[in-house]
Structure formats: C-alpha cells, structure tokens
C-alpha cells in the first residue's frame, strides 16, 4: 500500500525507495526516550516534550506504513512510570486519548490496527475507554499493527506468564513434558506476534528498561542520541538502512 508522505515532497525524494529496502524489519520496537530533556532544553515543562512526542508517533506510524513494516511496538508507559510526579503520570495517561482523538481518522485511513500490551485493566477508566474504542474501530484493519506498550513491564509480564502456566499445569491444560519456548511465548502479552527484528532507543541511553526481555533475544539494536521529539523521518530511515547491513545468524554461522 502506498501512502502520501507529508514530509517527503515527492516519493522520489524519500531517502530510500520502498523497493530498495531488501530487508524490511517485520516488527520494529521503539523505546521513545528523551521527551523531558527535549522540553528542558527549551525551558518548557516536561509535558510539552510528551505532547511533541505524541505528534512524532503519528509521523513514525506513517513511515512504518510507507516502508511496509508490519508491527510497530511503542513503549508509551511503563509499570515503573507510576513513580513519576502525579501530574506527569496523569498527563502520560491522557496522551493515548489525545492521540486517538486527534489521529484515529488518519490511522483508519492508513489501514492501521491499534492494540496494546501490558496491564490494561489497571489503567484509569478514561484511558481504557479511549483505547478500547480505538481497538474496536480498527480491529478489522489488516495493515500495520500499532502496538502500544501501556502500563507494561517485562518482568511483570514474565511473572504473569509463570503464574498462568502453573495454573494450567495444575488443571492439566498443560503437560510439563511438552512445555517449550513456543508455549511460553503464548502466555506473554505478545502472544501471536513475531519477535521484534529491530529495537530502536532514542536519547543516548543504552539500556532495555524492562522492555520485552523475552522477545528481544535475537533482535538487532539501534541507538541514537536524538531525543524522541526530534526523531524525524530521516533518523528512522537511518535505522532502517543500518538494519540492511546486519547479518542475523541466530546463534548459527
Ligand atoms: C520517556 O521520556 C518517554 C515516556 C515515558 C513517554 C513516552 C510517550 C510518548 C512519546 C508519547 C506517547 C504517545 C502516545 C500516543 C501514547 P522521558 O520523559 O523519560 O524523557 P527524559 O529521559 O528526557 O526525562
């Protein structure tokens, strides 16, 4: 599917043509970091960085659609983010609603399906309502899967999987002798999704911050010093170009 890219004046101006990308990562995961620092540099409150970050999410989705990426998983709110000041937490948990309010028509136009991973039930009602609305409205779209990690923490996800597995062993839905990696994957929030091929983290930090610890086992990592609100199309394209050079051996030779 070809979409109009507002940031490249013509298709030919795009830094790489769609057919030049030999290895399109099927699943890209992004740790969108640096909103606070971006705002601080401008003498603005931290939430101004998050607001700008929301608009960058929209543009990033358009690039992902353009280059035929199938899954985009974005770390929007971690289980550790509750430790932030109340006003910032409230703002961060209002952002999904703002995003949906502003951009749902664009998402629908681009055939995007919206989903989440994480502890959805513990989110505030207004966040759940808006996100559920977007999920329902886009459930039949078969283009890009835009997967928000919302109230997500990988260790909690793994703990949850262990408990569910133990329960199913107990009630004989599962047999210990058959338990393997594939079955464990089915107990994670990412059930049914391929593992990320490429992980991007912005802002110069080089850590995983409890993001997709199981799923990133063989993922290619790409880090940039650019702060998330400055994550423009050229930077995403840089990451995609770098991905072309990676030799993925999965432990083989
Ligand atoms: C990390 O930057 C970013 C977050 C905790 C929030 C990420 C959220 C967005 C980019 C907007 C999400 C949009 C939607 C649609 C849900 P930071 O605040 O830790 O930055 P800092 O490290 O510079 O302080």
């Amino acid at each position: 599917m070809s979409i109009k890219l507002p940031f490249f004046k013509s298709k030919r101006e795009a830094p790489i043509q769609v057919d030049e990308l030999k290895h399109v990562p099927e699943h890209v995961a992004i740790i969108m970091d640096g909103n606070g620092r971006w705002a601080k540099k401008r003498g603005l409150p931290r939430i101004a960085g998050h607001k700008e970050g929301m608009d960058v999410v929209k543009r990033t989705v358009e690039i992902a659609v353009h280059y035929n990426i199938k899954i985009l998983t974005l770390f929007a709110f971690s289980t550790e983010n509750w430790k932030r000041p109340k006003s910032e937490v409230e703002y961060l948990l209002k952002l999904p609603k703002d995003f949906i309010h502003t951009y749902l028509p664009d998402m629908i136009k681009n055939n995007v399906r919206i989903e989440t991973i994480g502890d959805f039930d513990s989110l505030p009602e207004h966040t759940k309502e808006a996100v559920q609305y977007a999920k329902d409205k886009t459930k039949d779209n078969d283009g890009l899967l835009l997967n928000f990690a919302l109230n997500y923490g990988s260790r909690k996800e793994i703990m949850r999987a262990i408990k569910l597995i133990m329960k199913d062993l107990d009630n004989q839905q599962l047999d210990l002798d058959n338990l393997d990696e594939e079955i464990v994957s089915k107990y994670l929030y990412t059930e049914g999704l391929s593992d990320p091929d490429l992980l991007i983290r912005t802002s110069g930090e080089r850590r995983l911050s409890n993001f997709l610890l199981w799923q990133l086992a063989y993922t290619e990592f790409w880090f940039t010093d650019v702060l998330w609100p400055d994550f423009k199309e050229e930077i995403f394209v840089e990451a995609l170009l770098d991905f072309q050079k990676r030799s993925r051996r999965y432990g083989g030779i």
Side-chain angles (χ1 to χ4, degrees), residues 83-218:
K83 291 184 215 149
R84 295 188 177 205
K86 191 163 171 268
S87 57
E88 184 170 342
V89 168
E90 278 173 5
Y91 191 84
L92 283 170
L93 292 175
K94 198 171 77 63
L95 272 181
K97 188 156 89 182
D98 292 350
F99 179 82
I100 288 156
H101 186 75
T102 316
Y103 295 126
L104 187 61
D106 290 287
M107 298 297 119
I108 292 172
K109 201 172 72 203
N110 284 324
N111 196 23
V112 170
R113 178 160 68 93
I114 295 178
E115 261 302 336
T116 59
I117 52 171
D119 179 5
F120 192 74
D121 291 344
S122 308
L123 287 166
E125 276 312 313
H126 65 88
T127 312
K128 280 195 277 190
E129 244 172 56
V131 175
Q132 193 55 52
Y133 178 78
K135 286 185 187 184
D136 293 343
K137 278 279 174 200
T138 60
K139 69 177 182 354
D140 296 325
N141 292 351
D142 58 3
L144 175 79
L145 168 62
L146 173 58
N147 189 28
F148 284 111
L150 257 188
N151 200 15
Y152 174 87
S154 194
R155 287 188 173 179
K156 283 205 166 64
E157 174 186 41
I158 292 169
M159 278 304 304
R160 174 181 169 273
I162 291 171
K163 285 182 186 173
L164 291 171
I165 288 170
M166 290 186 77
K167 233 188 236 169
D168 281 353
L169 285 170
D170 199 40
N171 61 30
Q172 286 159 17
Q173 296 286 314
L174 261 183
D175 175 4
L176 187 56
D177 292 335
N178 296 336
L179 190 59
D180 59 14
E181 291 175 22
E182 204 180 310
I183 294 177
V184 172
S185 294
K186 290 189 177 144
Y187 283 83
L188 299 173
Y189 290 123
T190 47
E191 179 194 358
L193 303 185
S194 58
D195 288 339
D197 301 289
L198 175 65
L199 170 85
I200 296 173
R201 181 169 190 152
T202 58
S203 93
E205 308 292 357
R206 285 162 167 75
R207 55 176 174 265
L208 289 182
S209 301
N210 203 13
F211 191 43
L212 301 173
L213 301 179
W214 171 280
Q215 297 88 339
L216 294 176
Y218 282 104

Side-chain angles (χ1 to χ4, degrees), residues 213-226:
L213 301 179
W214 171 280
Q215 297 88 339
L216 294 176
Y218 282 104
T219 301
E220 298 295 325
F221 290 3
W222 192 81
F223 298 105
T224 173
D225 289 341
V226 163

Side-chain angles (χ1 to χ4, degrees), residues 6-17:
F7 22 80
F8 305 132
K9 284 194 198 75
S10 70
K11 256 181 149 183
R12 287 182 40 225
E13 231 180 69
I16 18 172
Q17 305 302 310

